[in-house]
Amino acid sequence: MGIYVNPDNRRFLQAVNSEIYIDKSRLISVTNKKLNTEQKYICVSRPRRFGKSVNLAMLAAYYSKGCSSADIFDKFAISRYKSYSEYLNQYHVIYINMQDFLSRSKDIDNMLQRLEKRLFKEFLEEKPGIDLDPDDGLAFWMEDFYKATEKKPFVILIDEWDCVMREHRNNKEALEIYLDFLRNWLKDKEYIALAYMTGILPIKKYGTHSALNMFDEYSMLSSKGIEKYIGFTDKEVSKLCRKYRINFDDMKLWYNGYKLNGTDLYCPRSVVKAVTEKHFGGYWIETETYEALAKYIAMNFDGLHDTIEKLLADQPQPTDTRTFSNDMITFTNKDDILTLLVHLGYLGYDPDKQTVYIPNKEIADEFVVSMKATGLWTETIETVMKSRQLLTDTLQGRSDIVAQEIERVHDSNSSTLNYNNEQSLRFIILIAYYYAKEQYEIVQELPTGKGFADIVFIPKHNVDITTYPPMVIELKWDDTAQTAIQQIKDRNYPEKLKSFEKVLLVGISYTKDIKDHNKKHQCIIEEYQMK
């Protein structure tokens, strides 16, 4: 039993014995099916703090011959699977966190030498008397160990496999050395029963150095059925909220939004912190400074700034993820930046619509902080900061003040070319009422009555509806706000809100005098009593 070779189960027990632990042992049923097959190579990429390391500790505790873990796993879901007993603690395991070695090394060569030295020492301790040539290197040592143990293969578990790609991103030679090392160690080796790596980035391919193409990748773009094992699901978070008496709607607002293969996922760290501290906040982003996001959104590739503003207004944006080079330096267009932000967890991705979006309030707040840091979005930030007051003015019926603020936002956030259309006005409304997302579910083009209401604000379940009543907003271009109000009534748009006693009707319009280019916004706010 070593630290890296055939480790014990203490790291996993630490997770299991924590106040909150959610059983993800069904992942083992997936890896068991891949043992000793062509599909034995697995690379899982997820944002930081998504539970990747806990899963690796679980796999080590399950497979390692260096411990006996039946007393742990007998109570978990995996114990009900046929393969459970067959593979429990039956494999030699190598369990490595690459970041540990990188942080203690002066360069890549030193890192790999340190890694090999540690494993060589533990091979000798695990199998006293084995004849290993110190000059052979890791692959040959493992072949010799494999033969000396009656050809019992290894389960290789590598955490933070991509740390070299992230921290030495500009050192092409170092990256190629590292990929060559992994290829020579792992590819087409009889002594491997399973190789399971985790990281943030998908596998990078460097021309002829497509060294790790034997791996099946499970990323934030394509999870291939294992999504529910990495991250907390809607059902799991709902159960925690009931147990700890936490409002589930608030939890969804703050931390939900990652959707993979039809499954809603939450960042485990954020949920656990919110539950144990009984406070909603930016826990996930505490693990990295805002500069990490700011430096990417400051790159204004072909309209990236406009795209970020639309994302902040809850408007998903089309993105082609195919050109992304799976690194943090090769950017040829805004889609590459957006795809990187998906892998880092700052954006969600809808594969059916091929769009990206900001997943939740925690991340949206991080965008606002990062946008402030860049100094490039002064008008947008001012709009966000004033959005709370705009909602208050609307709820209190101050139509003239609302019209003035909408005109200011429209003037400062729309280009001349895009100014004169209803879609532009819709975006302006969504960004101007940014704060309202905390109190309302905001629905665009809601089918109701005899048509589609432009924008409807529906109070969240935990909101005081006497303070935050539902609102129906109708937009008009080159028309009047009164026409907008009349359309709401004539087409009975409040029909979907009949469970409420009153609804605010908000008509917003602007007209353009082509001759002198003056722009004029109007707003009418009426209280509508439901019958």
Side-chain angles (χ1 to χ4, degrees):
M1 179 179 66
I3 296 175
Y4 307 107
V5 178
N6 291 338
D8 60 26
N9 53 29
R10 278 181 285 186
R11 271 185 279 191
F12 183 51
L13 273 174
Q14 181 175 309
V16 171
N17 292 333
S18 298
E19 180 179 351
I20 295 175
Y21 174 74
I22 292 180
D23 177 15
K24 297 292 183 177
S25 65
R26 285 188 176 90
L27 174 63
I28 298 170
S29 69
V30 176
T31 57
N32 279 349
K33 291 179 182 179
K34 297 178 182 295
L35 287 166
N36 301 300
T37 70
E38 293 294 323
Q39 291 75 46
K40 63 185 177 182
Y41 297 98
I42 299 171
C43 182
V44 176
S45 58
R46 288 289 187 278
R48 52 196 163 81
R49 313 301 295 187
F50 248 77
K52 304 184 298 293
S53 297
V54 173
N55 279 346
L56 277 176
M58 176 184 70
L59 294 175
Y62 174 77
Y63 287 116
S64 177
K65 292 174 67 69
C67 56
S68 178
S69 300
D71 58 333
I72 301 175
F73 288 101
D74 280 352
K75 61 187 177 183
F76 290 150
I78 185 59
S79 65
R80 298 191 290 271
Y81 285 75
K82 184 178 179 180
S83 64
Y84 167 61
S85 299
E86 182 178 357
Y87 303 121
L88 178 64
N89 300 128
Q90 294 300 305
Y91 282 92
H92 296 298
V93 168
I94 293 179
Y95 181 17
I96 295 170
N97 186 321
M98 285 293 183
Q99 184 66 59
D100 291 343
F101 288 93
L102 180 63
S103 61
R104 300 175 185 178
S105 306
K106 60 183 181 181
D107 55 38
I108 299 300
D109 286 329
N110 181 248
M111 167 193 161
L112 298 179
Q113 290 169 6
R114 189 183 299 272
L115 171 62
E116 289 195 316
K117 183 178 179 180
R118 285 287 177 176
L119 292 179
F120 181 77
K121 179 182 178 181
E122 291 201 7
F123 285 146
L124 296 179
E125 293 173 350
E126 187 69 22
K127 189 70 175 176
I130 189 173
D131 184 18
L132 299 181
D133 187 337
D135 297 326
D136 274 350
L138 182 55
F140 283 128
W141 298 336
M142 291 189 65
E143 285 182 0
D144 292 340
F145 193 96
Y146 173 65
K147 294 174 184 176
T149 56
E150 299 179 348
K151 294 190 174 183
K152 193 67 177 178
F154 284 84
V155 169
I156 310 294
L157 305 173
I158 304 175
D159 202 4
E160 300 281 2
W161 87 270
D162 63 331
C163 62
V164 175
M165 277 60 187
R166 291 182 274 118
E167 296 191 20
H168 291 266
R169 64 189 74 174
N170 294 306
N171 189 338
K172 182 178 179 181
E173 181 181 359
L175 300 182
E176 291 183 356
I177 290 172
Y178 179 58
L179 285 176
D180 279 341
F181 171 82
L182 292 177
R183 179 190 61 194
N184 294 333
W185 177 24
L186 302 175
K187 190 170 184 178
D188 299 327
K189 294 300 189 287
E190 185 181 354
Y191 53 69
I192 291 181
L194 178 74
Y196 187 109
M197 304 194 308
T198 69
I200 295 175
L201 295 175
I203 293 173
K204 168 70 177 173
K205 298 177 175 61
Y206 292 89
T208 59
H209 283 76
S210 299
L212 306 180
N213 57 4
M214 68 282 198
F215 277 88
D216 287 329
E217 295 198 66
Y218 301 79
S219 73
M220 293 299 283
L221 301 179
S222 176
S223 58
K224 302 176 183 176
I226 69 166
E227 57 282 333
K228 54 185 171 293
Y229 306 127
I230 304 162
F232 287 175
T233 66
D234 221 31
K235 183 177 180 181
E236 291 164 346
V237 174
S238 176
K239 185 176 180 180
L240 281 176
C241 287
R242 291 195 300 272
K243 178 179 178 180
Y244 286 87
R245 298 181 180 180
I246 301 292
N247 187 280
F248 184 46
D249 288 334
D250 286 340
M251 188 72 79
K252 290 172 72 72
L253 170 69
W254 272 92
Y255 309 120
N256 190 18
Y258 300 102
K259 297 183 185 295
L260 291 174
N261 201 26
T263 299
D264 286 333
L265 289 180
Y266 300 68
C267 173
R269 172 185 169 83
S270 298
V271 171
V272 169
K273 293 283 284 185
V275 166
T276 56
E277 299 189 12
K278 297 190 181 302
H279 173 75
F280 297 106
Y283 299 114
W284 179 76
I285 61 178
E286 287 178 351
T287 62
E288 189 167 330
T289 60
Y290 63 80
E291 288 92 344
L293 174 60
K295 66 182 178 183
Y296 293 116
I297 63 176
M299 300 178 183
N300 196 18
F301 281 107
D302 50 80
L304 177 63
H305 290 184
D306 291 340
T307 297
I308 296 297
E309 288 180 335
K310 291 175 182 176
L311 289 171
L312 204 62
D314 288 334
Q315 294 185 323
Q317 295 298 297
T319 302
D320 186 350
T321 62
R322 295 172 298 177
T323 62
F324 182 55
S325 297
N326 292 357
D327 65 25
M328 305 177 81
I329 59 172
T330 309
F331 306 117
T332 59
N333 53 56
K334 72 175 180 181
D335 287 345
D336 292 341
I337 299 289
L338 297 173
T339 305
L340 173 62
L341 295 182
V342 171
H343 290 296
L344 295 179
Y346 291 109
L347 293 176
Y349 179 69
D350 184 333
D352 295 327
K353 298 179 181 178
Q354 298 183 352
T355 57
V356 297
Y357 57 90
I358 296 177
N360 52 49
K361 176 172 170 52
E362 182 180 36
I363 303 300
D365 287 354
E366 177 72 352
F367 267 92
V368 172
V369 171
S370 299
M371 290 165 72
K372 284 182 183 178
T374 68
L376 299 173
W377 273 282
T378 54
E379 295 88 356
T380 303
I381 295 302
E382 182 182 3
T383 297
V384 169
M385 295 299 101
K386 289 184 175 181
S387 64
R388 186 188 298 266
Q389 184 59 48
L390 177 63
L391 177 61
T392 298
D393 290 335
T394 305
L395 294 172
Q396 294 181 0
R398 299 169 183 159
S399 56
D400 289 343
I401 295 176
V402 171
Q404 292 172 13
E405 175 62 9
I406 294 299
E407 183 159 325
R408 184 196 68 78
V409 176
H410 203 171
D411 286 346
S412 61
N413 286 273
S414 294
S415 68
T416 303
L417 291 177
N418 295 324
Y419 193 98
N420 291 298
N421 61 66
E422 191 172 307
Q423 188 61 32
S424 173
L425 185 56
R426 186 191 306 275
F427 159 69
I428 293 306
I429 296 301
L430 292 172
I431 194 71
Y433 284 96
Y434 177 84
Y435 169 74
K437 293 186 292 185
E438 295 189 14
Q439 314 297 336
Y440 292 96
E441 177 186 0
I442 301 177
V443 183
Q444 301 180 56
E445 294 291 339
L446 179 69
T448 181
K450 300 176 183 178
F452 294 83
D454 281 339
I455 304 174
V456 177
F457 286 28
I458 304 174
K460 293 181 180 294
H461 292 304
N462 60 321
V463 167
D464 179 6
I465 59 174
T466 61
T467 303
Y468 298 101
M471 296 192 294
V472 178
I473 299 179
E474 186 65 24
L475 310 175
K476 290 296 178 184
W477 169 45
D478 264 352
D479 211 326
T480 66
Q482 185 58 55
T483 301
I485 291 289
Q486 195 60 47
Q487 180 172 318
I488 295 174
K489 296 177 180 178
D490 291 345
R491 298 187 182 181
N492 194 23
Y493 288 161
E495 191 271 337
K496 279 282 181 72
L497 305 171
K498 57 188 176 184
S499 61
F500 298 91
E501 291 185 4
K502 71 173 184 178
V503 177
L504 282 187
L505 311 186
V506 182
I508 297 175
S509 69
Y510 78 93
T511 57
K512 178 187 175 187
D513 187 328
I514 298 176
K515 183 177 180 180
D516 59 16
H517 302 285
N518 289 325
K519 298 176 282 286
K520 179 64 177 177
H521 292 67
Q522 297 179 340
C523 177
I524 295 177
I525 303 171
E526 291 186 5
E527 186 175 300
Y528 184 84
Q529 296 294 328
M530 301 297 290
K531 299 178 181 179

